[in-house]
Coordinates of all heavy atoms in Angstrom, one line a residue:
M1 N 23.6 33.0 49.4 CA 24.9 33.0 50.1 C 24.7 33.4 51.5 O 24.1 34.4 51.8 CB 25.8 34.0 49.3 CG 27.2 34.0 50.0 SD 28.3 35.0 49.0 CE 28.4 36.5 49.9
T2 N 25.3 32.6 52.4 CA 25.2 33.0 53.8 C 26.5 33.5 54.3 O 27.6 33.0 54.1 CB 24.9 31.7 54.7 OG1 23.7 31.1 54.2 CG2 24.8 32.0 56.1
V3 N 26.4 34.7 55.0 CA 27.6 35.3 55.5 C 27.6 35.2 57.0 O 26.6 35.5 57.6 CB 27.7 36.8 55.1 CG1 28.9 37.5 55.7 CG2 27.6 37.0 53.6
Q4 N 28.7 34.6 57.5 CA 28.8 34.4 59.0 C 29.1 35.8 59.7 O 30.0 36.5 59.2 CB 29.8 33.4 59.3 CG 29.8 33.1 60.8 CD 30.8 32.0 61.2 OE1 31.8 31.8 60.5 NE2 30.6 31.4 62.3
N5 N 28.3 36.0 60.7 CA 28.6 37.2 61.5 C 30.0 37.1 62.2 O 30.4 36.1 62.7 CB 27.5 37.3 62.6 CG 27.7 38.5 63.5 OD1 28.7 38.7 64.2 ND2 26.7 39.3 63.5
E6 N 30.7 38.2 62.1 CA 32.1 38.2 62.7 C 32.1 37.7 64.1 O 33.0 37.0 64.6 CB 32.7 39.6 62.6 CG 34.1 39.7 63.0 CD 35.1 39.0 62.0 OE1 34.7 38.9 60.8 OE2 36.2 38.6 62.4
Y7 N 31.1 38.2 64.9 CA 31.1 37.8 66.3 C 30.8 36.3 66.6 O 31.1 35.8 67.6 CB 30.0 38.6 67.0 CG 30.4 40.0 67.3 CD1 30.3 41.0 66.3 CD2 30.9 40.5 68.5 CE1 30.7 42.3 66.5 CE2 31.3 41.8 68.7 CZ 31.2 42.7 67.7 OH 31.6 44.0 67.9
D8 N 30.3 35.6 65.6 CA 30.0 34.2 65.7 C 31.2 33.3 65.3 O 31.2 32.1 65.5 CB 28.8 33.8 64.9 CG 27.5 34.3 65.6 OD1 27.5 34.5 66.8 OD2 26.5 34.5 64.9
K9 N 32.2 33.9 64.7 CA 33.4 33.2 64.3 C 34.2 32.7 65.5 O 34.4 33.5 66.5 CB 34.3 34.0 63.3 CG 33.6 34.3 62.0 CD 34.5 35.1 61.1 CE 33.8 35.3 59.8 NZ 34.6 36.2 58.9
E10 N 34.6 31.5 65.5 CA 35.3 30.9 66.7 C 36.4 31.7 67.2 O 36.5 32.0 68.4 CB 35.7 29.5 66.3 CG 36.2 28.7 67.5 CD 35.1 28.4 68.5 OE1 34.0 28.2 68.1 OE2 35.4 28.3 69.7
T11 N 37.4 32.1 66.4 CA 38.5 32.8 66.8 C 38.2 34.2 67.4 O 38.6 34.6 68.5 CB 39.5 33.0 65.7 OG1 39.9 31.7 65.2 CG2 40.8 33.7 66.1
F12 N 37.3 34.9 66.7 CA 36.9 36.2 67.2 C 36.2 36.1 68.6 O 36.5 36.8 69.6 CB 35.9 36.9 66.3 CG 35.5 38.3 66.7 CD1 36.2 39.4 66.2 CD2 34.5 38.5 67.6 CE1 35.9 40.6 66.6 CE2 34.1 39.7 68.0 CZ 34.9 40.8 67.5
F13 N 35.3 35.1 68.7 CA 34.5 34.9 70.0 C 35.4 34.5 71.1 O 35.3 35.0 72.2 CB 33.4 33.8 69.8 CG 32.4 33.8 70.8 CD1 31.4 34.8 70.9 CD2 32.5 32.9 71.9 CE1 30.4 34.8 71.9 CE2 31.5 32.9 72.9 CZ 30.5 33.8 72.9
E14 N 36.4 33.7 70.8 CA 37.4 33.3 71.9 C 38.2 34.5 72.4 O 38.4 34.6 73.6 CB 38.3 32.2 71.3 CG 37.7 30.9 71.2 CD 38.6 29.9 70.5 OE1 39.8 30.2 70.3 OE2 38.2 28.7 70.3
E15 N 38.6 35.4 71.5 CA 39.4 36.5 71.8 C 38.5 37.6 72.6 O 38.9 38.2 73.5 CB 40.0 37.2 70.6 CG 41.2 36.3 70.0 CD 42.3 36.0 71.0 OE1 42.7 36.9 71.7 OE2 42.6 34.8 71.1
Y16 N 37.3 37.7 72.1 CA 36.3 38.6 72.8 C 36.1 38.2 74.2 O 36.0 39.0 75.1 CB 35.0 38.6 72.0 CG 34.0 39.6 72.5 CD1 34.0 40.9 71.9 CD2 33.1 39.3 73.5 CE1 33.0 41.9 72.3 CE2 32.2 40.3 73.9 CZ 32.2 41.5 73.3 OH 31.2 42.5 73.8
A17 N 36.0 36.9 74.4 CA 35.8 36.3 75.8 C 36.9 36.6 76.7 O 36.7 36.6 78.0 CB 35.6 34.8 75.7
K18 N 38.1 37.0 76.2 CA 39.3 37.2 77.1 C 39.3 38.7 77.6 O 40.1 39.0 78.5 CB 40.6 37.0 76.3 CG 40.8 35.5 76.0 CD 42.0 35.4 75.1 CE 42.2 33.9 74.6 NZ 43.4 33.8 73.7
M19 N 38.5 39.6 77.0 CA 38.5 41.0 77.4 C 38.0 41.1 78.9 O 37.1 40.4 79.3 CB 37.6 41.8 76.5 CG 38.1 41.9 75.1 SD 36.9 42.7 73.9 CE 36.2 44.0 74.9
P20 N 38.6 42.0 79.6 CA 38.1 42.2 81.0 C 36.6 42.4 81.1 O 36.0 41.8 82.0 CB 38.9 43.4 81.5 CG 40.2 43.4 80.7 CD 39.7 42.9 79.3
R21 N 36.0 43.2 80.3 CA 34.6 43.4 80.4 C 33.8 42.2 80.0 O 32.7 42.0 80.5 CB 34.1 44.6 79.5 CG 34.1 44.3 78.0 CD 33.7 45.4 77.1 NE 34.6 46.6 77.3 CZ 34.2 47.8 77.3 NH1 32.9 48.1 77.2 NH2 35.0 48.8 77.5
S22 N 34.3 41.3 79.2 CA 33.7 40.0 78.9 C 33.7 39.1 80.2 O 32.7 38.4 80.4 CB 34.3 39.3 77.7 OG 34.1 40.1 76.6
R23 N 34.8 39.1 80.9 CA 35.0 38.3 82.0 C 34.3 38.8 83.3 O 33.6 38.1 84.0 CB 36.4 38.1 82.3 CG 37.2 37.2 81.3 CD 38.6 36.9 81.8 NE 39.3 38.0 82.4 CZ 40.1 38.8 81.8 NH1 40.4 38.6 80.6 NH2 40.7 39.8 82.5
D24 N 34.4 40.1 83.5 CA 33.9 40.7 84.7 C 32.8 41.7 84.7 O 32.4 42.3 85.6 CB 35.1 41.4 85.4 CG 36.3 40.5 85.7 OD1 36.0 39.3 86.1 OD2 37.4 40.9 85.5
G25 N 32.2 41.9 83.5 CA 31.0 42.7 83.4 C 31.3 44.2 83.4 O 32.4 44.7 83.1
L26 N 30.3 45.0 83.7 CA 30.4 46.4 83.6 C 31.5 47.0 84.5 O 32.1 48.0 84.1 CB 29.0 47.1 83.9 CG 27.9 46.8 82.9 CD1 26.6 47.4 83.4 CD2 28.3 47.3 81.5
R27 N 31.7 46.5 85.6 CA 32.7 47.1 86.5 C 34.1 47.0 85.9 O 35.0 47.8 86.2 CB 32.7 46.4 87.9 CG 33.3 45.0 87.8 CD 33.3 44.4 89.3 NE 33.9 43.1 89.2 CZ 33.3 41.9 89.2 NH1 32.0 42.0 89.1 NH2 33.9 40.8 89.1
A28 N 34.3 46.2 84.9 CA 35.6 46.1 84.2 C 35.6 46.9 82.9 O 36.7 47.0 82.3 CB 35.9 44.6 83.9
A29 N 34.5 47.6 82.6 CA 34.5 48.4 81.4 C 35.0 49.8 81.8 O 34.5 50.4 82.7 CB 33.1 48.5 80.9
G30 N 36.0 50.2 81.1 CA 36.7 51.5 81.5 C 35.8 52.7 81.5 O 36.0 53.6 82.3
E31 N 34.8 52.7 80.7 CA 33.9 53.9 80.6 C 32.7 53.8 81.6 O 31.9 54.7 81.7 CB 33.3 54.0 79.1 CG 32.4 53.0 78.7 CD 33.0 51.7 78.3 OE1 34.2 51.5 78.4 OE2 32.2 50.8 77.8
W32 N 32.5 52.7 82.2 CA 31.3 52.5 83.1 C 31.2 53.5 84.2 O 30.1 54.0 84.5 CB 31.3 51.1 83.6 CG 30.0 50.8 84.4 CD1 29.9 50.4 85.7 CD2 28.7 50.9 84.0 NE1 28.6 50.3 86.1 CE2 27.8 50.6 85.0 CE3 28.1 51.2 82.7 CZ2 26.4 50.6 84.9 CZ3 26.7 51.2 82.6 CH2 25.9 50.9 83.7
H33 N 32.3 53.9 84.8 CA 32.2 54.9 85.9 C 31.6 56.2 85.4 O 31.1 57.0 86.1 CB 33.5 55.1 86.6 CG 34.5 55.8 85.8 ND1 35.2 55.3 84.7 CD2 35.0 57.1 85.9 CE1 36.0 56.2 84.2 NE2 35.9 57.3 84.9
R34 N 31.8 56.5 84.1 CA 31.3 57.8 83.5 C 29.8 57.6 83.0 O 29.0 58.5 83.0 CB 32.2 58.2 82.4 CG 33.5 58.6 82.8 CD 33.6 60.0 83.1 NE 35.0 60.4 83.2 CZ 35.4 61.4 83.9 NH1 34.5 62.2 84.4 NH2 36.7 61.7 84.0
L35 N 29.6 56.4 82.5 CA 28.3 56.1 81.8 C 27.2 55.8 82.9 O 26.1 56.3 82.7 CB 28.4 54.9 80.9 CG 27.2 54.5 80.1 CD1 26.8 55.6 79.2 CD2 27.5 53.2 79.3
K36 N 27.5 55.1 83.9 CA 26.5 54.8 84.9 C 25.7 56.0 85.5 O 24.5 55.9 85.6 CB 27.1 54.0 86.1 CG 26.2 53.4 87.1 CD 26.9 52.6 88.1 CE 25.9 52.2 89.2 NZ 26.6 51.4 90.3
P37 N 26.3 57.1 85.8 CA 25.6 58.2 86.4 C 24.6 58.8 85.4 O 23.7 59.6 85.8 CB 26.6 59.2 86.8 CG 27.9 58.4 86.9 CD 27.8 57.3 85.9
L38 N 24.8 58.6 84.1 CA 23.9 59.1 83.1 C 22.6 58.4 82.9 O 21.6 59.0 82.3 CB 24.6 59.1 81.7 CG 25.9 59.9 81.7 CD1 26.6 59.8 80.3 CD2 25.7 61.4 82.0
F39 N 22.4 57.2 83.5 CA 21.2 56.5 83.4 C 20.1 57.2 84.3 O 20.4 57.5 85.4 CB 21.4 55.1 83.9 CG 21.9 54.1 82.8 CD1 23.3 54.0 82.6 CD2 21.0 53.4 82.1 CE1 23.8 53.1 81.7 CE2 21.5 52.5 81.1 CZ 22.9 52.4 80.9
P40 N 18.9 57.3 83.8 CA 17.8 57.8 84.6 C 17.4 56.7 85.5 O 17.8 55.5 85.3 CB 16.8 58.2 83.6 CG 17.0 57.2 82.5 CD 18.5 57.1 82.4
P41 N 16.5 56.9 86.5 CA 15.9 55.8 87.2 C 15.2 54.8 86.3 O 14.5 55.2 85.4 CB 14.9 56.5 88.2 CG 15.4 57.9 88.3 CD 16.0 58.2 86.9
L42 N 15.5 53.6 86.5 CA 15.0 52.5 85.6 C 13.8 51.7 86.1 O 13.2 50.9 85.4 CB 16.1 51.6 85.2 CG 17.3 52.2 84.5 CD1 18.4 51.2 84.2 CD2 16.9 52.9 83.2
G43 N 13.5 52.0 87.4 CA 12.4 51.2 88.0 C 11.1 51.3 87.2 O 10.7 52.4 86.9
G44 N 10.5 50.2 86.9 CA 9.2 50.1 86.2 C 9.3 50.4 84.7 O 8.3 50.3 84.0
K45 N 10.5 50.7 84.2 CA 10.7 51.0 82.8 C 10.8 49.8 81.9 O 11.1 48.7 82.4 CB 11.9 51.9 82.5 CG 12.0 53.1 83.3 CD 11.1 54.2 82.8 CE 11.3 55.5 83.5 NZ 10.3 56.4 83.3
T46 N 10.5 50.0 80.6 CA 10.7 48.9 79.6 C 11.9 49.4 78.8 O 11.9 50.5 78.3 CB 9.5 48.7 78.7 OG1 8.4 48.3 79.6 CG2 9.7 47.7 77.6
L47 N 12.9 48.5 78.6 CA 14.2 48.9 77.9 C 14.5 48.0 76.8 O 14.2 46.8 76.8 CB 15.4 48.9 78.9 CG 15.3 50.1 79.9 CD1 14.8 49.6 81.2 CD2 16.7 50.6 80.0
L48 N 15.2 48.6 75.8 CA 15.7 47.8 74.6 C 17.2 48.1 74.6 O 17.6 49.2 74.6 CB 15.0 48.3 73.3 CG 15.6 47.8 72.0 CD1 15.4 46.2 71.9 CD2 14.9 48.5 70.8
D49 N 18.0 47.0 74.5 CA 19.4 47.1 74.4 C 19.8 46.5 73.0 O 19.8 45.3 72.8 CB 20.1 46.3 75.5 CG 21.6 46.5 75.5 OD1 22.2 47.1 74.5 OD2 22.3 45.9 76.4
L50 N 20.1 47.3 72.1 CA 20.5 46.9 70.7 C 22.0 46.6 70.7 O 22.8 47.4 71.2 CB 20.2 48.0 69.7 CG 18.7 48.3 69.5 CD1 18.6 49.5 68.5 CD2 18.0 47.1 68.9
G51 N 22.3 45.4 70.3 CA 23.7 45.0 70.3 C 24.2 44.7 71.7 O 25.2 45.1 72.2
C52 N 23.3 43.9 72.4 CA 23.5 43.6 73.8 C 24.7 42.8 74.2 O 25.1 42.8 75.4 CB 22.2 43.0 74.4 SG 21.9 41.3 73.8
G53 N 25.3 42.1 73.3 CA 26.5 41.3 73.6 C 26.2 40.4 74.7 O 25.3 39.6 74.6
Y54 N 27.0 40.4 75.8 CA 26.9 39.5 76.9 C 25.7 39.8 77.8 O 25.4 39.2 78.8 CB 28.1 39.4 77.7 CG 29.3 38.6 77.2 CD1 29.3 38.1 75.9 CD2 30.3 38.3 78.0 CE1 30.3 37.3 75.4 CE2 31.4 37.5 77.5 CZ 31.4 37.0 76.2 OH 32.4 36.3 75.8
G55 N 25.1 41.0 77.5 CA 23.9 41.3 78.3 C 24.1 42.1 79.6 O 23.2 42.2 80.4
W56 N 25.3 42.7 79.7 CA 25.6 43.4 81.0 C 24.7 44.5 81.3 O 24.3 44.8 82.4 CB 27.1 43.8 81.0 CG 28.1 42.7 80.9 CD1 29.1 42.6 79.9 CD2 28.2 41.5 81.7 NE1 29.8 41.5 80.1 CE2 29.3 40.8 81.2 CE3 27.5 41.1 82.8 CZ2 29.7 39.6 81.8 CZ3 27.9 39.9 83.4 CH2 29.0 39.2 82.9
H57 N 24.4 45.3 80.2 CA 23.5 46.5 80.5 C 22.0 46.0 80.7 O 21.3 46.6 81.5 CB 23.5 47.4 79.3 CG 24.7 48.2 79.2 ND1 25.7 47.9 78.3 CD2 25.2 49.3 79.9 CE1 26.8 48.7 78.4 NE2 26.4 49.6 79.4
C58 N 21.7 44.9 80.1 CA 20.3 44.3 80.4 C 20.3 43.9 81.9 O 19.3 44.1 82.6 CB 20.1 43.1 79.5 SG 19.9 43.5 77.8
K59 N 21.3 43.2 82.4 CA 21.4 42.8 83.8 C 21.3 44.0 84.7 O 20.6 44.0 85.7 CB 22.7 42.0 84.0 CG 22.9 41.5 85.4 CD 24.1 40.8 85.6 CE 24.3 40.3 87.0 NZ 25.5 39.4 87.2
F60 N 22.1 45.0 84.4 CA 22.0 46.3 85.2 C 20.6 46.8 85.2 O 20.1 47.2 86.3 CB 23.0 47.3 84.6 CG 22.9 48.7 85.2 CD1 23.4 48.9 86.5 CD2 22.2 49.7 84.6 CE1 23.3 50.1 87.1 CE2 22.1 50.9 85.1 CZ 22.6 51.2 86.4
A61 N 19.9 46.9 84.1 CA 18.6 47.5 84.1 C 17.6 46.6 84.9 O 16.8 47.2 85.7 CB 18.1 47.5 82.6
A62 N 17.7 45.3 84.8 CA 16.9 44.4 85.6 C 17.2 44.6 87.1 O 16.3 44.7 87.9 CB 17.1 43.0 85.2
E63 N 18.5 44.7 87.5 CA 18.8 45.0 88.9 C 18.3 46.3 89.4 O 18.1 46.5 90.6 CB 20.3 44.9 89.0 CG 20.9 43.5 88.9 CD 22.4 43.4 88.8 OE1 23.1 44.4 88.6 OE2 22.9 42.2 89.0
Q64 N 18.2 47.3 88.5 CA 17.7 48.6 88.9 C 16.1 48.7 88.9 O 15.6 49.7 89.1 CB 18.2 49.7 87.9 CG 19.7 49.8 87.9 CD 20.3 50.1 89.3 OE1 19.9 51.0 89.9 NE2 21.2 49.2 89.8
G65 N 15.5 47.5 88.7 CA 14.0 47.4 88.8 C 13.3 47.6 87.5 O 12.0 47.8 87.6
A66 N 13.9 47.6 86.4 CA 13.2 47.7 85.1 C 12.1 46.6 85.0 O 12.3 45.5 85.5 CB 14.1 47.5 83.9
A67 N 10.9 47.0 84.5 CA 9.8 46.0 84.4 C 10.1 44.9 83.4 O 9.8 43.8 83.6 CB 8.5 46.7 84.1
Q68 N 10.7 45.4 82.2 CA 11.0 44.4 81.1 C 12.3 45.0 80.4 O 12.4 46.2 80.3 CB 9.9 44.3 80.1 CG 8.7 43.5 80.6 CD 7.7 43.3 79.5 OE1 7.6 44.1 78.6 NE2 7.1 42.2 79.5
V69 N 13.1 44.0 80.0 CA 14.3 44.4 79.2 C 14.4 43.4 78.1 O 14.2 42.2 78.2 CB 15.6 44.2 80.1 CG1 16.8 44.7 79.3 CG2 15.4 45.0 81.4
L70 N 14.6 44.0 76.9 CA 14.8 43.2 75.7 C 16.2 43.4 75.2 O 16.6 44.5 74.8 CB 13.8 43.5 74.6 CG 14.0 42.9 73.2 CD1 14.0 41.3 73.3 CD2 13.0 43.4 72.2
G71 N 17.1 42.4 75.1 CA 18.4 42.4 74.6 C 18.4 41.8 73.2 O 18.0 40.6 73.1
I72 N 18.9 42.5 72.2 CA 19.0 42.0 70.9 C 20.4 42.1 70.4 O 21.1 43.1 70.6 CB 18.0 42.8 69.9 CG1 16.6 42.6 70.4 CG2 18.2 42.4 68.5 CD1 15.6 43.4 69.6
D73 N 20.8 41.1 69.6 CA 22.1 41.1 69.0 C 22.1 40.3 67.7 O 21.3 39.4 67.6 CB 23.2 40.5 70.0 CG 24.6 40.9 69.7 OD1 25.2 40.5 68.7 OD2 25.1 41.7 70.5
V74 N 23.0 40.6 66.8 CA 23.0 39.9 65.5 C 23.8 38.6 65.7 O 23.7 37.7 64.8 CB 23.7 40.7 64.4 CG1 22.9 41.9 64.1 CG2 25.1 41.1 64.7
S75 N 24.5 38.4 66.8 CA 25.2 37.2 67.0 C 24.5 36.2 67.9 O 24.2 36.5 69.1 CB 26.6 37.6 67.7 OG 27.2 36.5 68.2
R76 N 24.3 35.0 67.4 CA 23.6 34.0 68.2 C 24.5 33.6 69.4 O 24.0 33.3 70.4 CB 23.4 32.8 67.3 CG 22.3 33.0 66.3 CD 21.9 31.7 65.6 NE 20.9 31.9 64.6 CZ 19.6 32.2 64.8 NH1 19.2 32.3 66.0 NH2 18.8 32.5 63.8
R77 N 25.8 33.6 69.2 CA 26.7 33.2 70.3 C 26.7 34.2 71.4 O 26.7 33.9 72.6 CB 28.2 33.1 69.7 CG 28.3 31.9 68.8 CD 29.6 31.6 68.4 NE 30.3 30.9 69.6 CZ 31.5 30.5 69.6 NH1 32.2 30.6 68.5 NH2 32.0 29.9 70.6
M78 N 26.5 35.5 71.1 CA 26.4 36.5 72.1 C 25.1 36.3 72.9 O 25.1 36.4 74.1 CB 26.5 37.9 71.5 CG 27.8 38.3 71.0 SD 29.0 38.5 72.3 CE 30.5 38.9 71.3
I79 N 24.1 36.1 72.2 CA 22.8 35.8 72.9 C 22.9 34.6 73.8 O 22.4 34.6 74.9 CB 21.6 35.7 71.8 CG1 21.4 37.1 71.2 CG2 20.4 35.2 72.5 CD1 20.9 38.2 72.1
E80 N 23.5 33.5 73.3 CA 23.6 32.3 74.1 C 24.4 32.7 75.4 O 24.1 32.2 76.5 CB 24.3 31.2 73.3 CG 23.5 30.6 72.2 CD 24.2 29.8 71.2 OE1 25.5 29.5 71.5 OE2 23.7 29.3 70.2
E81 N 25.5 33.4 75.2 CA 26.3 33.8 76.4 C 25.5 34.7 77.3 O 25.6 34.6 78.5 CB 27.6 34.5 75.9 CG 28.7 34.6 76.9 CD 29.2 33.3 77.4 OE1 29.2 32.3 76.6 OE2 29.6 33.2 78.6
A82 N 24.8 35.6 76.8 CA 23.9 36.5 77.6 C 22.9 35.7 78.4 O 22.7 36.0 79.6 CB 23.2 37.6 76.7
R83 N 22.3 34.7 77.8 CA 21.4 33.9 78.5 C 22.1 33.1 79.6 O 21.5 33.0 80.7 CB 20.7 32.9 77.6 CG 19.7 33.5 76.7 CD 19.0 32.4 75.8 NE 18.0 33.0 75.0 CZ 17.8 32.8 73.7 NH1 18.7 32.0 73.1 NH2 16.9 33.4 73.1
K84 N 23.3 32.6 79.4 CA 24.0 31.9 80.4 C 24.4 32.7 81.6 O 24.2 32.4 82.7 CB 25.3 31.3 79.8 CG 25.1 30.0 79.1 CD 26.4 29.3 78.8 CE 27.0 29.8 77.5 NZ 28.2 29.1 77.1
R85 N 24.8 33.9 81.3 CA 25.3 34.8 82.3 C 24.2 35.6 83.0 O 24.5 36.1 84.1 CB 26.3 35.8 81.7 CG 27.6 35.2 81.2 CD 28.5 36.1 80.5 NE 29.7 35.5 80.0 CZ 30.9 35.7 80.6 NH1 31.0 36.4 81.6 NH2 31.9 35.0 80.0
N86 N 23.1 35.8 82.4 CA 22.1 36.6 83.0 C 20.7 36.0 83.0 O 19.7 36.7 83.0 CB 22.0 37.9 82.1 CG 23.3 38.6 82.1 OD1 23.8 39.1 83.1 ND2 23.9 38.7 81.0
G87 N 20.6 34.7 83.1 CA 19.4 34.0 83.1 C 18.6 34.1 84.5 O 17.5 33.6 84.6
D88 N 19.2 34.8 85.4 CA 18.6 34.8 86.8 C 17.6 35.9 87.0 O 17.1 36.2 88.1 CB 19.7 34.9 87.8 CG 20.6 36.2 87.6 OD1 20.6 36.7 86.5 OD2 21.3 36.6 88.5
H89 N 17.1 36.6 85.9 CA 16.2 37.7 86.0 C 14.8 37.3 85.5 O 13.9 38.1 85.4 CB 16.7 38.9 85.3 CG 18.0 39.4 85.9 ND1 18.0 40.0 87.2 CD2 19.2 39.4 85.5 CE1 19.2 40.3 87.5 NE2 20.0 39.9 86.5
G90 N 14.6 36.0 85.3 CA 13.3 35.5 85.0 C 12.6 36.1 83.8 O 13.3 36.4 82.8
A91 N 11.3 36.3 83.9 CA 10.5 36.7 82.7 C 10.7 38.2 82.4 O 10.2 38.7 81.5 CB 9.1 36.4 83.0
R92 N 11.5 38.9 83.2 CA 11.7 40.3 83.0 C 12.7 40.6 81.9 O 12.7 41.7 81.3 CB 12.2 41.0 84.3 CG 11.1 41.1 85.3 CD 11.4 41.9 86.5 NE 12.8 42.4 86.5 CZ 13.5 42.4 87.6 NH1 13.1 42.0 88.7 NH2 14.8 42.8 87.6
V93 N 13.6 39.7 81.6 CA 14.6 39.9 80.5 C 14.4 38.9 79.4 O 14.3 37.7 79.6 CB 16.0 39.7 81.1 CG1 17.1 39.9 80.1 CG2 16.2 40.6 82.3
F94 N 14.3 39.4 78.2 CA 14.1 38.6 77.0 C 15.3 38.8 76.1 O 15.9 39.9 76.0 CB 12.9 39.1 76.3 CG 11.6 39.0 77.2 CD1 11.3 40.1 77.9 CD2 10.9 37.9 77.2 CE1 10.2 40.1 78.7 CE2 9.8 37.8 78.1 CZ 9.4 38.9 78.8
W95 N 15.6 37.8 75.3 CA 16.8 37.8 74.4 C 16.3 37.5 73.0 O 15.5 36.6 72.8 CB 17.9 36.8 74.8 CG 18.2 37.0 76.2 CD1 17.8 36.2 77.3 CD2 19.1 38.0 76.8 NE1 18.4 36.7 78.5 CE2 19.2 37.8 78.2 CE3 19.8 39.1 76.3 CZ2 19.9 38.6 79.0 CZ3 20.5 39.9 77.1 CH2 20.6 39.6 78.5
G96 N 16.9 38.1 72.0 CA 16.6 37.9 70.6 C 17.7 38.1 69.7 O 18.7 38.8 70.0
V97 N 17.6 37.4 68.5 CA 18.7 37.5 67.5 C 18.0 38.1 66.3 O 16.9 37.8 65.9 CB 19.3 36.2 67.1 CG1 20.3 36.3 66.0 CG2 19.9 35.5 68.3
R98 N 18.7 39.1 65.7 CA 18.2 39.8 64.5 C 18.1 38.7 63.4 O 18.9 37.9 63.1 CB 19.1 40.9 64.1 CG 18.6 41.6 62.8 CD 19.6 42.6 62.3 NE 20.8 42.0 61.7 CZ 20.9 41.6 60.5 NH1 19.9 41.7 59.6 NH2 22.0 41.1 60.0

């Protein structure tokens, strides 16, 4: 029996895409102004983002100079969207589905 991931269901994905953070990234996430200062320097680091969604934290890490970033999500649709929105970081950012 195959169970479809909630995030891959058409209706859920369409509604998720309407959220401000889905449209505008981290700057639209209400908690980002509190979370961002908690990050240590990321230059040269290797990072793993579990449940990466659209990949906004992966993009942030790459922009901060991370050597490699791996974004993983159980949703194939989220990974596809992350690749579309964040494919400009070349070989430093990798995407995977559980």
Side-chain angles (χ1 to χ4, degrees):
M1 179 170 105
T2 303
V3 178
Q4 186 179 20
N5 182 299
E6 188 69 26
Y7 285 82
D8 286 335
K9 293 180 180 176
E10 188 67 33
T11 302
F12 184 94
F13 195 80
E14 286 174 4
E15 291 303 312
Y16 187 92
K18 294 177 186 176
M19 293 172 40
R21 73 179 61 218
S22 296
R23 291 190 317 265
D24 300 321
L26 293 176
R27 71 175 185 267
E31 71 279 5
W32 182 239
H33 73 284
R34 298 268 190 200
L35 184 60
K36 184 178 178 182
L38 300 176
F39 277 87
L42 301 177
K45 304 286 186 192
T46 299
L47 286 98
L48 171 63
D49 183 356
L50 296 174
C52 67
Y54 280 14
W56 300 125
H57 288 102
C58 295
K59 180 179 180 177
F60 171 76
E63 290 171 345
Q64 298 303 304
Q68 289 186 326
V69 183
L70 173 59
I72 296 177
D73 204 288
V74 298
S75 167
R76 290 191 185 283
R77 293 190 75 177
M78 290 294 177
I79 292 295
E80 289 169 6
E81 196 63 32
R83 284 184 178 131
K84 278 194 270 185
R85 294 172 182 256
N86 302 294
D88 56 342
H89 297 291
R92 291 190 350 222
V93 181
F94 304 91
W95 307 103
V97 178
R98 178 188 73 86

